Amino acid sequence: MKESKGVNRMWQLYKMGGVTPAIASMLGAQNAQQMAFMRAVNRDLRKHSLLDTPFSELETVVFDLETTGFYPYNGDEIISFGALLLRGGTPVEGKTFYSLVNPKRKVPLHITELTGITSAMAEDAPELPDVLHQFMQFCGKRLLIAHGSGHDKQFLNAALWKTFKCNLTHRVLDTMMVAKWLQPGRDAYGLDELLEEEGIPITRRHHALEDCVMQSKLWLTYLARIRSRNIHTLGDLYAYLSQH
């Protein structure tokens, strides 16, 4: 559903300082600031290309979401965010993000068994607008990396549209696609199988931040192989992936 011109005009006035405190209060000043931030990030991303940045200088964010199910447009919600920052081929010490989210619904029992997140834990968690804003601030304009990214992108897009009326404009690199290129013909490309193949210890699966730690180790393993093939930028890698 498109926003009305009046609503668009109101946000523009707010960002320019032309909305009175009373109206800003009615809209929710914090939400308006968050919306303005998200739109500014999206504008910057359209102008900002990562394709020519060498991998040795590229900052990336490995991220993962846990959710109540598989269908964000049929009532399922995000219940946790995890992310960590890599610079070149190295994790940046202390630069991680993790938060539970209040999904405003019960967490199904099978999801609790999978993730360890109970309905009581989720009820005490911050609400989506605040966590999503903090997560996107953590991501900045960096390349995002996920394994089997379709699920995460779908939920992230749904959350961004529901909360801030914008779509995800970040580039997202899927390590599953990289694995299919580096190791064609495998029977399975799930995270567990690939971690085991690479000798990466499997710690706490289906915990958003722990999954990010394992995914980052997998990506750095692949990155070493990518660079050994004389592929040194994201643009080069996309060119190779598009051929397979």
Side-chain angles (χ1 to χ4, degrees):
M1 187 177 76
K2 292 184 177 179
E3 293 179 82
S4 70
K5 291 182 179 178
V7 172
N8 259 328
R9 178 60 178 158
M10 189 67 75
W11 294 128
Q12 290 298 321
L13 285 171
Y14 178 83
K15 288 184 285 183
M16 295 169 61
V19 175
T20 65
I23 295 176
S25 176
M26 178 183 70
L27 292 173
Q30 183 177 13
N31 184 262
Q33 290 170 342
Q34 292 170 344
M35 185 176 288
F37 166 79
M38 284 307 310
R39 292 185 174 177
V41 167
N42 283 346
R43 282 196 306 271
D44 289 345
L45 279 166
R46 293 188 189 101
K47 305 172 187 174
H48 184 63
S49 176
L50 302 171
L51 294 178
D52 297 326
T53 305
F55 283 125
S56 59
E57 301 173 12
L58 188 65
E59 289 194 347
T60 59
V61 171
V62 181
F63 81 101
D64 185 65
L65 310 176
E66 297 301 330
T67 63
T68 61
F70 296 99
Y71 306 105
Y73 299 104
N74 196 30
D76 284 318
E77 300 287 348
I78 298 169
I79 53 175
S80 67
F81 285 82
L84 62 83
L85 176 63
L86 302 174
R87 183 175 295 123
T90 308
V92 180
E93 187 175 355
K95 291 295 185 179
T96 61
F97 179 90
Y98 179 74
S99 180
L100 296 177
V101 182
N102 186 341
K104 301 294 187 71
R105 56 161 290 180
K106 295 292 184 184
V107 177
L109 179 59
H110 69 281
I111 297 297
T112 295
E113 291 172 347
L114 186 68
T115 66
I117 299 171
T118 65
S119 291
M121 292 165 63
E123 284 173 8
D124 290 336
E127 295 188 4
L128 179 64
D130 290 334
V131 180
L132 183 58
H133 181 238
Q134 292 165 15
F135 171 75
M136 297 309 295
Q137 282 186 311
F138 182 87
C139 293
K141 295 178 284 188
R142 302 178 179 98
L143 172 71
L144 304 184
I145 297 176
H147 190 80
S149 64
H151 173 84
D152 301 285
K153 285 170 62 178
Q154 188 180 31
F155 271 88
L156 196 48
N157 254 322
L160 284 166
W161 183 255
K162 177 172 66 176
T163 306
F164 300 124
K165 295 297 182 287
C166 66
N167 293 310
L168 182 69
T169 54
H170 291 67
R171 290 188 178 276
V172 181
L173 181 64
D174 192 332
T175 47
M176 182 182 289
M177 299 303 296
V178 177
K180 288 180 178 180
W181 170 61
L182 290 173
Q183 303 179 53
R186 285 182 59 93
D187 291 333
Y189 290 91
L191 183 58
D192 292 286
E193 291 86 358
L194 295 171
L195 290 171
E196 186 175 349
E197 171 79 15
E198 300 300 335
I200 297 170
I202 297 175
T203 54
R204 187 178 172 188
R205 284 284 280 115
H206 303 292
H207 179 283
L209 184 54
E210 292 290 332
D211 277 354
C212 287
V213 172
M214 290 180 281
Q215 288 172 192
S216 68
K217 292 177 180 177
L218 184 66
W219 163 242
L220 294 177
T221 298
Y222 290 163
L223 181 58
R225 294 179 193 167
I226 289 165
R227 295 170 74 175
S228 73
R229 298 188 183 196
N230 204 32
I231 299 170
H232 297 293
T233 69
L234 186 62
D236 293 339
L237 178 59
Y238 278 149
Y240 277 90
L241 292 177
S242 68
Q243 299 169 15
H244 296 80

